[in-house]
Amino acid sequence: MSHNGKTSSLFPVASQIPTTAWERTDAAVKLILGDEAETRADLTASLRAARLARDMDGKAHVAPSGKSESHD
């Protein structure tokens, strides 16, 4: 079998512009949800980093029994 230089895939990718109202709405929803997911992931990462930093600072003030020291 000879190859003519074109690559073919088993599942061709449709690169057409949405034409129906449903397709346009679906494309808009996917775009919005993708942006929100990215924003949520960024916020989660920054909150996780802040929590880890806070916990590392708190380790210096933890008593050996695992309970935090109280200063009465």
Side-chain angles (χ1 to χ4, degrees):
M1 184 188 276
S2 66
H3 292 279
N4 57 5
K6 294 183 180 179
T7 59
S8 63
S9 82
L10 183 58
F11 302 104
V13 178
S15 61
Q16 61 184 5
I17 299 173
T19 55
T20 67
W22 184 84
E23 290 174 336
R24 289 190 302 269
T25 302
D26 188 47
V29 167
K30 287 179 182 178
L31 180 66
I32 292 168
L33 290 178
D35 290 344
E36 288 178 354
E38 184 178 332
T39 302
R40 190 170 48 251
D42 292 342
L43 178 61
T44 299
S46 66
L47 290 173
R48 181 176 290 136
R51 185 181 67 240
L52 289 173
R54 181 198 65 204
D55 290 348
M56 293 307 290
D57 289 341
K59 295 243 185 244
H61 303 292
V62 174
S65 65
K67 297 180 181 178
S68 61
E69 298 176 3
S70 62
H71 299 287
D72 293 350

